[in-house]
Amino acid sequence: MTAARPMPTQDDVLGYFDTLSNWGRWGDDDELGTLNHITDDVRLAAARAVRHGRSVSCAWEVAVPGEMERSTTTCPCAADMPGAENMPAPFRNDRRWGFSNERLGIMFHGNTITHVDSPCHLYWDGTMYNGRPHSLVDAETGSAWAAVTAAANGIITRGVLLDIARVRDVPWLEPGQGVFPEDLEKAERRQGVRVQSGDAVLLRTGYGRARHEAGATSGFTQAGWHASCLPWLQEREVALIGADTPQDVQPSGYDDVLMPVHAVSLVAMGLWMLDNCDLEACATTAAELDQWDFHLTVAPVRFAGTSGSPVNPIATF
């Protein structure tokens, strides 16, 4: 599918780092970026999107083994564990309780695990959002700027699902197919919804269906947002974008800009991202209820200094 509007050239896309920049918009010390669009009034309005009381997850289960390394300890009777004799008497004497616990190791960035990207995840020419140098990210302590802990109070807003596969009447978009502003607006018209300031926009390409049915995992060729959507997202004052792929259509179509949506969004706009969502239950529920907006809750884990977090976004209709 080709877009009706002229496609931005590579020079246009490189210019987005200036023309779409939010540096200084909310102050020189701002680390929230587009999350500033989520005001108290926006959160109150999002609560009014709950009209049925039904909630669904928009995340994939993290596979073990595979995406997560896990070491599980199980102790059927805690009083028999080594060192129990040195514990207080109530611990030693109660012989009926046991426990299990885990030590987890996970690399959440990539193409499979549902996660949020904070602005410090990407640099452009060695610079992060709001003009901060990459040197603020230390190998031992992590990032001192725009880490995921900037969203410690959660991302709570109205979510809007734009089901592009449904609009194009295909089970899923093929790898390499981009989504353009015309697709977004056609989905709005078909679904009877309009993206507003402070919204989170979740883009369904249908890749989740392919992954469920065929076990497909995204390689480096994938459907997703085309760079031409970036001015649209800025104009609508979108707070957060998500997709059922790692966002950018690949190949991007630009030799010198590998991931324009990631780079311009995170570095210039401070636009947070939800990568690798599973939007199938969300899409099925939205179609059943004929409701394409919902209350969206994203609660990143407060990992100090990290560039993101695995998350379980919850859509409540």
Side-chain angles (χ1 to χ4, degrees):
M1 178 177 180
T2 58
R5 301 175 188 177
M7 283 295 93
T9 66
Q10 181 166 277
D11 286 343
D12 292 332
V13 173
L14 290 170
Y16 290 164
F17 286 97
D18 294 320
T19 60
L20 302 182
S21 173
N22 285 322
W23 291 11
R25 179 175 181 174
W26 296 286
D28 291 338
D29 293 329
D30 175 62
E31 300 177 69
L32 284 174
T34 55
L35 297 187
N36 283 287
H37 291 312
I38 306 176
T39 64
D40 292 347
D41 287 341
V42 167
R43 279 185 284 267
L44 284 170
R48 292 192 286 274
V50 180
R51 299 191 280 276
H52 299 273
R54 191 182 305 180
S55 65
V56 297
S57 169
C58 297
W60 289 96
E61 185 171 291
V62 182
V64 181
E67 291 120 4
M68 179 172 63
E69 297 177 4
R70 180 174 68 186
S71 174
T72 299
T73 300
T74 179
C75 184
C77 180
D80 292 337
M81 66 183 291
E85 65 276 7
N86 299 320
M87 298 297 290
F91 183 95
R92 298 194 310 269
N93 295 339
D94 185 349
R95 302 194 58 84
R96 302 188 67 176
W97 73 281
F99 65 88
S100 65
N101 63 19
E102 292 82 25
R103 181 179 180 86
L104 307 178
I106 186 172
M107 177 74 77
F108 56 84
H109 287 301
N111 294 359
T112 54
I113 294 175
T114 307
H115 65 274
V116 63
D117 288 345
S118 70
C120 73
H121 178 47
L122 237 62
Y123 321 134
W124 189 256
D125 288 335
T127 303
M128 295 185 286
Y129 170 68
N130 230 353
R132 293 309 198 272
H134 71 90
S135 57
L136 289 176
V137 180
D138 179 80
E140 293 186 3
T141 59
S143 182
W145 181 256
V148 74
T149 46
N153 293 328
I155 303 171
I156 301 166
T157 191
R158 188 180 78 136
V160 176
L161 178 66
L162 297 182
D163 192 339
I164 306 305
R166 181 184 177 92
V167 167
R168 293 192 187 177
D169 196 27
V170 295
W172 52 73
L173 274 60
E174 295 298 327
Q177 289 186 315
V179 174
F180 304 96
E182 287 72 24
D183 293 304
L184 308 179
E185 292 168 2
K186 185 175 181 180
E188 286 182 316
R189 292 190 296 270
R190 285 273 298 269
Q191 297 172 187
V193 68
R194 181 175 173 83
V195 173
Q196 301 172 351
S197 179
D199 283 347
V201 179
L202 304 184
L203 187 73
R204 179 177 179 265
T205 71
Y207 175 70
R209 177 175 172 182
R211 187 170 164 183
H212 278 291
E213 293 184 3
T217 56
S218 178
F220 205 69
T221 301
Q222 65 198 27
W225 301 92
H226 187 270
S228 58
C229 292
L230 289 164
W232 191 94
L233 295 168
Q234 177 81 326
E235 178 185 347
R236 295 295 186 93
E237 296 189 335
V238 170
L240 173 76
I241 60 172
D244 52 9
T245 67
Q247 311 292 351
D248 289 76
V249 62
Q250 291 292 343
S252 70
Y254 303 99
D255 292 340
D256 297 335
V257 195
L258 175 67
M259 296 185 295
V261 175
H262 260 79
V264 174
S265 294
L266 292 172
V267 178
M269 299 167 66
L271 175 60
W272 295 55
M273 297 183 162
L274 282 172
D275 291 351
N276 311 318
C277 294
D278 180 2
L279 299 176
E280 294 310 291
C282 187
T284 299
T285 303
E288 176 187 342
L289 301 176
D290 193 24
Q291 179 184 333
W292 298 90
D293 66 337
F294 40 84
H295 183 276
L296 182 70
T297 303
V298 182
V301 181
R302 295 179 71 171
F303 289 133
T306 63
S307 58
S309 166
V311 289
N312 180 20
I314 301 296
T316 305
F317 292 81

